[in-house]
Amino acid sequence: MSLISIVVPLLNEETNANTIYDRCRNVFQKIEQDYEFVIIDDGSTDNTLTVLKDLAETDKKVKILSFSRNFGHQSAITAGIDYAQGDAVVIIDGDLQDPPELIPQMIEKWKEGYQVVYAKRTKRKGETFFKKTTASLFYRTFQYLANAQIPLDTGDFRLMDRSVVDSLKELKERNRFIRGLVYWVGFNQIGVEYERDERKTGESKYPLSKMVRFASNGIFSFSDKPLRLATIMGLLSSMLGLIMIFWGLYSKFVLSDTTIRGWTSVFISILFLGGIQLFTLGIIGEYISRIYDELKARPIYIIQEKINIPTGDNNE
């Protein structure tokens, strides 16, 4: 029988840890499918790790990776992928917004020959208008800018075949955008639709600042169009500057008015050109910061403790 690995990244989810475990276990018991849990504690500051240790004590299928600090959601998923031993790997968040009951449908698609089965949201319950709007804007902006056209309205909730997982393990970039990487490696992919539930307990681990950082990682890691945009804006500002030079010369030598001329246009042009220059430097800085991170070659995550991980099960 094939083995399915369930990768669950957790950060301060002590109230949800038992529930996500119970729901996933019930799903796999109903379909009589062999499975393992690979649960990553991403530097939680509550009792999440204690709850996980209790689960691991009673169920040896529960494997725990505890980070030395918070390394981020995408790093936690990466660790889970590195240590998962299954023939297929399912990524699901621990906030219970993505239903484990969808996993059997994913497995059926996998058995039909699809190597990636992603979950596509048709509704996002319990989320604010602002979050829904910004999420929709991000996906559509990413589709326009990026060289990896990820399906609209999808998250990290997906099933991946072992061949896909092995390909992902070869990618060691530090600023990770998992759903973009999954599309980039290719293979035969298909989506299944579902309605995303609202969070029952706890709070979102993605405030606006993290969402902006996450979105920028996705765009700057998969597109060079912002650099091209900076070039175009520089060209347009240069053309505007040239026009202003001719207008200034015309005002100086042709117009005989003694009043001060051109102060409005100079004021506007200085603000415009200064804004273009700062915007362009900001884009260049984003790319340079990512080059800097890659050159340092620091590990994507550091594991402080492993529980129920057999010797030899590692990311080498």
Side-chain angles (χ1 to χ4, degrees):
M1 183 182 294
S2 58
L3 174 68
I4 306 295
S5 297
I6 313 161
V7 172
V8 188
L10 295 180
L11 172 62
N12 296 334
E13 296 285 1
E14 61 178 338
T15 57
N16 288 327
N18 279 310
T19 307
I20 187 69
Y21 165 78
D22 289 336
R23 287 177 63 178
C24 288
R25 183 187 60 178
N26 291 337
V27 165
F28 281 92
Q29 286 178 343
K30 287 180 181 179
I31 63 176
E32 298 181 347
Q33 172 69 57
D34 194 17
Y35 65 94
E36 67 170 1
F37 289 97
V38 183
I39 306 178
I40 304 91
D41 175 44
D42 187 18
S44 296
T45 55
D46 62 359
N47 292 319
T48 298
L49 184 57
T50 301
V51 174
L52 294 179
K53 286 182 176 180
D54 290 340
L55 289 174
E57 186 70 24
T58 58
D59 187 352
K60 298 305 178 183
K61 290 182 179 292
V62 176
K63 303 178 180 181
I64 300 172
L65 302 170
S66 178
F67 283 177
S68 61
R69 63 169 177 84
N70 176 242
F71 281 89
H73 182 257
Q74 301 294 288
S75 296
I77 292 176
T78 300
I81 290 173
D82 288 342
Y83 281 84
Q85 299 297 305
D87 301 291
V89 175
V90 175
I91 303 171
I92 184 169
D93 287 339
D95 55 13
L96 300 174
Q97 290 185 273
D98 298 327
E101 292 73 20
L102 191 66
I103 294 176
Q105 187 177 346
M106 292 179 165
I107 293 175
E108 286 301 317
K109 292 294 183 182
W110 173 57
K111 290 180 178 179
E112 290 175 11
Y114 294 99
Q115 292 153 306
V116 175
V117 185
Y118 55 84
K120 181 179 176 65
R121 305 160 183 158
T122 57
K123 290 184 180 180
R124 302 168 67 105
K125 299 179 182 178
E127 296 185 355
T128 64
F129 174 78
F130 175 77
K131 187 167 185 178
K132 291 179 181 178
T133 302
T134 53
S136 176
L137 179 63
F138 162 70
Y139 284 113
R140 284 148 184 81
T141 302
F142 186 89
Q143 288 278 37
Y144 173 74
L145 291 177
N147 297 320
Q149 302 297 304
I150 63 173
L152 294 175
D153 304 315
T154 60
D156 292 316
F157 183 27
R158 64 190 62 224
L159 177 148
M160 300 178 294
D161 182 75
R162 169 51 55 180
S163 57
V164 179
V165 171
D166 289 340
S167 296
L168 288 175
K169 290 169 68 172
E170 297 296 321
L171 307 178
K172 299 299 183 181
E173 57 196 74
R174 271 65 190 166
N175 294 286
R176 303 185 72 76
F177 184 63
I178 299 296
R179 65 198 71 169
L181 294 177
V182 172
Y183 185 88
W184 183 86
V185 297
F187 298 98
N188 198 12
Q189 307 194 14
I190 193 172
V192 292
E193 294 185 342
Y194 77 108
E195 294 184 6
R196 196 175 200 223
D197 293 330
E198 60 181 316
R199 174 182 274 272
K200 299 297 189 297
T201 61
E203 58 184 20
S204 173
K205 307 308 184 294
Y206 266 95
L208 180 60
S209 59
K210 283 191 175 181
M211 288 298 296
V212 171
R213 182 64 179 174
F214 178 72
S216 65
N217 276 342
I219 292 174
F220 290 117
S221 295
F222 285 89
S223 177
D224 60 358
K225 286 185 179 179
L227 285 174
R228 297 178 185 177
L229 175 63
T231 301
I232 293 173
M233 294 178 71
L235 179 62
L236 291 176
S237 63
S238 297
M239 293 176 62
L240 177 62
L242 184 62
I243 293 173
M244 293 299 297
I245 289 174
F246 283 113
W247 184 86
L249 292 174
Y250 176 80
S251 300
K252 174 70 174 177
F253 295 107
V254 177
L255 301 179
S256 59
D257 199 323
T258 58
T259 59
I260 298 176
R261 290 180 170 273
W263 69 270
T264 302
S265 58
V266 170
F267 176 72
I268 293 175
S269 63
I270 289 175
L271 290 180
F272 176 75
L273 294 175
I276 293 293
Q277 290 170 348
L278 291 175
F279 179 75
T280 303
L281 287 174
I283 291 177
I284 295 173
E286 287 289 340
Y287 282 100
I288 291 176
S289 69
R290 282 157 177 75
I291 295 172
Y292 178 61
D293 282 342
E294 297 300 325
L295 288 176
K296 286 186 293 187
R298 292 174 181 170
I300 300 171
Y301 55 84
I302 297 174
I303 297 175
Q304 178 174 282
E305 187 176 4
K306 301 177 185 178
I307 301 173
N308 288 346
I309 304 289
T311 302
D313 284 10
N314 54 42
N315 60 340
E316 296 298 329

